[in-house]
Amino acid sequence: MVCAAVRQGDGREGDIRAGRLPVRVVSPGVSRPAAGHGNLGKAMRRIGSPMGRGPNDPGATRLVDRIVTSRRVPWRHLQHAIARLRACEQAPPSWTELVDDLTRWHDRKARIAYKWAVDFHAPYETGRKTTQKGSSS
């Protein structure tokens, strides 16, 4: 399945020699790249099929595990995660937040990988108010 098309500039000879090939990856049928929202962990919750998304999708879980256990910035796995989001026709993460997170990847106090893992595995909100047994509210 092809999930993204690469659109290149007109490829004039001068552009090629100068190394200026305007390339952007755009989902099929979309004229502009989508604006994203949330960090990568929240975005990865959208990967999967209607049968199971996020933590309920074994492929998404394995991919998140590979990303968050990496000591170095996991470039190859990040590319795969974005490709999976595009294949599932889901919104990408916030690009500015992703850049900020990646620049702080090695900062132990920032705990970027931990935050992504927590956001990915957080329980789904059902919208129902739950009370403990025996409570009056």
Side-chain angles (χ1 to χ4, degrees), residues 101-114:
D101 287 349
L102 293 176
T103 58
R104 297 179 307 145
W105 184 261
H106 296 291
D107 181 0
R108 289 184 173 206
K109 291 180 183 176
R111 301 177 71 185
I112 300 303
Y114 175 78

Side-chain angles (χ1 to χ4, degrees), residues 2-82:
V2 176
C3 60
V6 176
R7 296 191 181 161
Q8 297 183 348
D10 57 4
R12 293 183 189 142
E13 205 171 311
D15 289 340
I16 294 170
R17 274 193 236 129
R20 291 187 310 260
L21 279 178
V23 177
R24 59 185 183 139
V25 179
V26 181
S27 298
V30 177
S31 60
R32 297 183 322 179
H37 58 87
N39 66 25
L40 187 68
K42 290 178 183 175
M44 297 276 298
R45 287 178 67 85
R46 299 188 283 271
I47 289 178
S49 66
M51 300 297 289
R53 294 194 185 279
N56 298 326
D57 180 69
T61 302
R62 281 191 305 272
L63 184 54
V64 167
D65 290 345
R66 279 189 232 127
I67 290 171
V68 300
T69 58
S70 179
R71 290 182 182 230
R72 297 182 188 156
V73 176
W75 298 114
R76 183 173 47 114
H77 299 308
L78 291 170
Q79 290 173 333
H80 187 197
I82 300 302

